[in-house]
Amino acid sequence: MTGLSRRRLLLGGASAACALPLAFGGHAVAAADTVDDASQRVLTATDVHVSDYPTVEAVRWIGKTLEEETGGRLKIRLYHSGQLGREAEAIDMARYGVIDITRVFSGALNNAFPLTQALCLPYVFDSIEHLRRVVDGDVGDEVLRGFETRDLVGLAIYDSGARCFYNTKHPIVAPKDLHGMKMRVAASDIFIKLVRLLGANPTPMSLGETFSAMETRMIDGAENNMRSFHSSRHFEAAGFWSETRHSYAPDILVMSRASLLSLTPADRELLMRTARESVPVMRAKWDESEGVARKAVLESGVKSNEADLAAFRAAAQPLLDEYHGKPEIEALYRRIRDLA
């Protein structure tokens, strides 16, 4: 790895956290930034996904566009494939200005940023088209504004397809087929509760640990989208993919608030506008690569089946009932459903 190392970033986190409260009226540079010369600014961006993953490609496009628009004065140095750690670490490093930009799964943000919970509820979205209508409108804007409360800025919402279950044992048609199985979930209360309601044993772990956990039978399976099922090579360990489509929870691109404020007003506007403009770029790459991933997975011998969605919705209803009791989440839920 050139540039920053994960060790250097993590060691620098404490000092960065101490330095941020002394902020400078818009002129401090976050710990992860580099200034190659008096006129050039290099921002650090991270993603746990591989180099050709649509979210990585979208951030790469942002960096290229910024370079072109500023004559090379503003750049992004991108670390993909989890080079700088897991998503949970990236969120904290961005909050403290140790890195500048990171793409994270919305489920990993639920506890710190409650508005994201509405996007992660089971069966709140009917399709990818429904999700895109929602996040492109007022609901998406409100969720992005919610990051301002804890030292981050929401730059864009990237959709990430339908999340489904896959496993090493058998097809999952109804919730009863999950009973007793150990399933990897993201570290999110919503996903942990959902998997438990469906009768399985939720096992929170990072994406990078999941393959070996399935190979060694520590877990029986997991849930994710088709693109990640392919790029993580989980299909080599899990031979059954079941179309439960229980969630369309999106990914979110966030930035350190301190890093954004350290840019000139013109550069801030340029970066935020370019981030929003990267959404259709990401979607085009997603739509193309998801089909390629599905074809490759099925040709490898993975067995795919439809699931009884009515049975899954009924089993998930108690979780929805719980979140209906949260006025802020209920209001967003209703607005999402109105756009179905």
Side-chain angles (χ1 to χ4, degrees):
M1 180 193 308
T2 59
L4 296 173
S5 69
R6 183 182 176 201
R7 175 177 172 79
R8 178 181 160 196
L9 279 172
L10 295 176
L11 289 175
S15 59
C18 294
L20 283 178
L22 303 176
F24 49 85
H27 296 293
V29 177
D33 296 341
T34 59
V35 180
D36 289 355
D37 57 44
S39 63
Q40 188 178 90
R41 178 73 175 277
V42 182
L43 302 173
T44 298
T46 72
D47 198 315
V48 298
H49 288 304
V50 296
S51 181
D52 65 346
Y53 201 85
T55 56
V56 177
E57 294 275 28
V59 174
R60 189 175 284 123
W61 179 88
I62 293 173
K64 181 180 178 181
T65 303
L66 292 177
E67 283 194 59
E68 291 174 350
E69 292 286 330
T70 64
R73 182 174 48 77
L74 191 59
K75 299 182 177 182
I76 289 179
R77 182 173 291 137
L78 177 59
Y79 295 88
H80 55 78
S81 306
Q83 294 175 77
L84 299 186
R86 298 172 297 180
E87 287 188 341
E89 296 167 340
I91 295 167
D92 286 338
M93 287 192 291
R95 285 186 58 214
Y96 293 124
V98 181
I99 60 175
D100 302 301
I101 297 169
T102 188
R103 190 284 324 158
V104 291
F105 172 53
S106 54
L109 297 161
N110 288 171
N111 291 337
F113 304 95
L115 292 183
T116 62
Q117 294 169 12
L119 304 181
C120 296
L121 293 173
Y123 298 105
V124 64
F125 296 109
D126 295 343
S127 64
I128 196 66
E129 293 77 19
H130 180 199
L131 170 73
R132 290 174 178 179
R133 284 196 298 275
V134 169
V135 301
D136 286 348
D138 293 341
V139 171
D141 289 341
E142 185 170 338
V143 171
L144 288 176
R145 286 195 299 272
F147 289 96
E148 298 171 4
T149 60
R150 298 192 69 181
D151 302 316
L152 292 176
V153 175
L155 295 178
I157 299 178
Y158 293 151
D159 52 75
S160 61
R163 297 180 75 90
C164 301
F165 287 105
Y166 52 91
N167 77 98
T168 62
K169 292 187 170 182
H170 53 243
I172 296 167
V173 178
K176 64 181 177 60
D177 298 320
L178 279 165
H179 289 186
M181 295 178 72
K182 292 182 179 180
M183 302 298 286
R184 178 266 175 183
V185 294
S188 159
D189 288 347
I190 288 176
F191 285 88
I192 291 171
K193 291 175 181 178
L194 173 63
V195 168
R196 188 173 290 127
L197 269 176
L198 296 176
N201 299 316
T203 306
M205 67 174 60
S206 71
L207 184 67
E209 297 171 313
T210 306
F211 184 91
S212 61
M214 286 191 294
E215 269 201 324
T216 59
R217 299 298 189 262
M218 180 187 299
I219 59 173
D220 300 306
E223 59 83 45
N224 214 317
N225 60 61
M226 177 58 76
R227 186 63 176 78
S228 294
F229 183 51
H230 179 249
S231 65
S232 64
R233 309 204 68 82
H234 289 178
F235 69 94
E236 295 179 357
F240 299 93
W241 171 273
S242 302
E243 291 284 346
T244 54
R245 298 189 286 276
H246 52 273
S247 176
Y248 286 87
D251 291 337
I252 302 182
L253 189 67
V254 297
M255 182 173 186
S256 161
R257 184 173 179 272
S259 296
L260 184 67
L261 290 178
S262 70
L263 300 175
T264 66
D267 283 351
R268 282 179 227 157
E269 170 60 29
L270 173 63
L271 190 152
M272 295 189 71
R273 184 179 74 247
T274 304
R276 292 295 185 100
E277 291 172 352
S278 75
V279 172
V281 174
M282 181 270 167
R283 288 175 180 173
K285 293 182 180 297
W286 182 271
D287 291 343
E288 177 185 0
S289 65
E290 185 179 40
V292 173
R294 185 177 298 275
K295 183 174 184 291
V297 162
L298 294 180
E299 287 180 350
S300 77
V302 169
K303 295 179 174 61
S304 177
N305 68 275
E306 290 295 325
D308 183 348
L309 298 189
F312 274 93
R313 286 192 183 97
Q317 189 59 48
L319 181 58
L320 287 175
D321 292 341
E322 176 185 340
Y323 281 85
H324 287 327
K326 299 182 178 185
E328 202 171 28
I329 305 305
E330 169 68 1
L332 281 180
Y333 177 86
R334 292 303 168 195
R335 288 160 62 190
I336 292 171
R337 294 306 306 160
D338 286 345
L339 291 171

